[in-house]
Amino acid sequence: MKKFLLTVLGLGVVGAAGVALIATHTPSSPFDDKKAATPPSADLVKRGEYVARLGDCVACHTVPGGKSFAGGLEMGTPLGSIFTTNITPDPETGIGNYTLADFDRALREGVAADGHRLYPAMPYPSYDKMPDEDIEALYAYFMTEVKPVKQANKPSEIEWPLNMRWPLALWNVVFTEGEVYQAKEAHDEMWNRGAYLVQGPGHCGSCHTPRGPAMNEVALDESSEEYLSGALLDGWYAPSLRNDPNIGLGRWSEEDVYAYLKNGRNQHGVVFGSMVEAFNNSTQFMTDDDLMSIAHYLKSLPADPDYDGPVWSYDPDTADELTRDVADKVPGAQTYAANCAFCHGRDGLGKNEWIPPLAGVSSMLAPEAQSAINVTLNGSTRVVSNGVPDSYRMPPYREHLSDAQMADVLTYARSAWGNHGDAVTADEVAELRGHTDPASIDVIILQMR
């Protein structure tokens, strides 16, 4: 018995030592023995600016009205709010003293220069697929083109002991891959470029892939059918980016995907919710070749018929009901006729690419109704394409409709024109009403300089 206890104790000591080693270990970097070019070439800086657009760095590290990349954006988590950090080259409050190796470790390993671990709200599980060339270019851009801003970082609101960072080292061992994207020989160059952009700097899975109990993305590439299959995040439902015909891109062509990313709209819909920020600050600045590569890759991802359900088809009878003035007999229909039909149409088909349809769109077909509730409650932010804000935006209805009225009208829209989304309850509306705010009516353009 004594020998057994000593063995258990010894294993415990070895295990604890292993955990301590992992928790305190500083990952190596291919730049440990390499200094950044001083000064960097103009081509390298230009490439770095484009990589920053691909990664949409400005959307998270800049707040409306604030200085570029100075941080301060609040991000809600189940444990409490965290705030994005100052990534300007200020030596005291930013990353001005970061070496190229320090920068690389923060971006691809989630380890700050002082050794503390970053929360994976920073999408380093995706950024670790970026090659050395892109890291070096991004560093050159931030150190030479971004203006230093002296602004202290805000501490997180996660309480002790959950705010301890060392367990994140173990999280990284389990939930990150730790290798640069490797081209798949079975696919062509266009597919591989799209796969890299989606999985790496674009970090599309951060929003569109479900997360596990440890807040990890359950898949990081197309080898899993759960990758980009849709997920709830911060009051929005990020739809499937796979070929699911109802909740995904199954009825979209590659040209449709390209137009959506390039112009913020197509015949199927207009960007809204968190996707507005991604469009306003990132996708519209990508090259046509990169956008077509993304579209080509996404359209290669198969659907999941068992999850997506019967394929939607248009049913015009609902529009006929409104025309026959029987709306008062159908809960929510009268509210729709009075508040929604002028823009979205009695037929639910919208106005070409300018006002999106409600018939057959993912927000009306998805089991989760958060996006439909959120945009109806709070409206949408302005879509800014080529520096020009859009003329039409979804207004907030939180002051005009009660929880019950909003639940009824959304239930109606999610069951009309062949839609088969689940009913919405007043309690669901009330919950989102309590912790969301109306979208800004201002034109918000986050500047990278």
Side-chain angles (χ1 to χ4, degrees):
M1 183 65 178
K2 183 177 180 180
K3 184 177 181 180
F4 172 76
L5 291 176
L6 289 173
T7 300
V8 172
L9 179 61
L11 291 174
V13 170
V14 171
V19 170
L21 180 63
I22 293 173
T24 58
H25 173 66
T26 299
S28 63
S29 166
F31 301 110
D32 278 332
D33 298 320
K34 180 179 180 180
K35 292 185 178 181
T38 306
S41 68
D43 286 345
L44 187 65
V45 172
K46 184 177 180 180
R47 177 177 178 175
E49 182 174 7
Y50 185 67
V51 174
R53 285 296 190 190
L54 295 178
D56 199 13
C57 307
V58 71
C60 285
H61 289 277
T62 309
V63 296
K67 300 292 185 180
S68 300
F69 300 111
L73 180 70
E74 183 176 4
M75 306 181 79
T77 79
L79 305 179
S81 290
I82 59 178
F83 299 87
T84 59
T85 55
N86 183 343
I87 57 172
T88 74
D90 177 69
E92 294 183 27
T93 62
I95 60 171
N97 290 327
Y98 273 49
T99 65
L100 177 55
D102 291 334
F103 184 81
D104 174 46
R105 273 187 282 270
L107 201 68
R108 294 195 289 193
E109 301 284 351
V111 181
D114 64 3
H116 80 266
R117 300 280 170 167
L118 305 180
Y119 292 114
M122 161 66 174
Y124 59 83
S126 297
Y127 290 163
D128 71 3
K129 297 191 177 188
M130 296 170 63
D132 294 354
E133 295 80 8
D134 281 357
I135 301 299
E136 191 168 8
L138 196 60
Y139 179 79
Y141 169 72
F142 272 99
M143 292 302 175
T144 61
E145 293 297 308
V146 174
K147 183 179 179 180
V149 177
K150 189 177 181 62
Q151 178 175 299
N153 293 317
K154 296 182 179 180
S156 81
E157 295 179 355
I158 300 176
E159 297 183 355
W160 189 89
L162 297 176
N163 65 348
M164 291 190 295
R165 304 290 187 113
W166 67 264
L168 290 169
L170 305 178
W171 189 97
N172 291 349
V173 171
V174 178
F175 297 120
T176 63
E177 294 180 344
E179 63 179 22
V180 171
Y181 177 81
Q182 301 295 319
K184 309 297 192 300
E185 293 184 358
H187 296 281
D188 59 21
E189 183 179 351
M190 185 179 186
W191 186 96
N192 275 292
R193 177 63 177 173
Y196 164 68
L197 292 171
V198 169
Q199 297 171 25
H203 61 282
C204 303
S206 295
C207 291
H208 292 272
T209 297
R211 291 183 179 260
M215 293 305 295
N216 58 296
E217 296 169 48
V218 297
L220 293 172
D221 62 32
E222 72 285 338
S223 62
S224 169
E225 64 183 13
E226 291 187 280
Y227 183 61
L228 302 180
S229 62
L232 286 173
L233 184 69
D234 202 20
W236 297 99
Y237 174 70
S240 167
L241 298 183
R242 305 176 71 87
N243 274 289
D244 302 294
N246 298 319
I247 62 170
L249 305 178
R251 286 178 277 121
W252 294 32
S253 66
E254 288 189 21
E255 290 71 22
D256 290 332
V257 178
Y258 164 84
Y260 191 78
L261 298 175
K262 182 69 173 181
N263 305 317
R265 59 186 74 244
N266 62 21
Q267 62 177 320
H268 301 284
V270 178
V271 294
F272 72 102
S274 302
M275 192 61 198
V276 176
E277 296 173 356
F279 170 76
N280 282 352
N281 300 298
S282 179
T283 64
Q284 67 173 304
F285 297 97
M286 296 182 188
T287 65
D288 289 349
D289 285 346
D290 277 353
L291 291 177
M292 286 303 300
S293 295
I294 291 172
H296 183 62
Y297 171 71
L298 293 179
K299 287 298 293 179
S300 75
L301 303 179
D304 182 357
D306 292 336
Y307 177 71
D308 198 36
V311 178
W312 172 85
S313 62
Y314 184 71
D315 180 359
D317 288 346
T318 309
D320 292 339
E321 286 180 355
L322 291 177
T323 304
R324 291 198 301 268
D325 295 325
V326 295
D328 58 334
K329 300 178 183 178
V330 182
Q334 190 173 48
T335 303
Y336 180 87
N339 296 277
C340 314
F342 181 78
C343 289
H344 294 285
R346 290 176 176 267
D347 56 9
L349 297 178
K351 300 291 190 297
N352 297 317
E353 64 181 29
W354 300 106
I355 298 178
L358 298 181
V361 298
S362 60
S363 60
M364 296 296 136
L365 298 173
E368 296 82 0
Q370 278 83 345
S371 284
I373 298 171
N374 204 331
V375 75
T376 307
L377 267 173
N378 299 312
S380 59
T381 50
R382 305 294 291 273
V383 179
V384 183
S385 179
N386 293 317
V388 180
D390 59 358
S391 300
Y392 307 96
R393 63 180 291 272
M394 175 71 178
Y397 279 91
R398 62 166 51 229
E399 301 298 331
H400 302 281
L401 300 178
S402 67
D403 294 343
Q405 288 175 316
M406 199 167 295
D408 283 345
V409 73
L410 288 172
T411 297
Y412 170 78
R414 283 167 59 81
S415 60
W417 316 294
N419 292 345
H420 44 74
D422 295 337
V424 176
T425 68
D427 287 344
E428 289 177 302
V429 177
E431 181 179 358
L432 271 181
R433 186 190 293 271
H435 64 79
T436 59
D437 297 306
S440 173
I441 64 173
D442 298 329
V443 178
I444 299 173
I445 303 176
L446 301 177
Q447 302 292 340
M448 292 221 326
R449 294 180 184 272

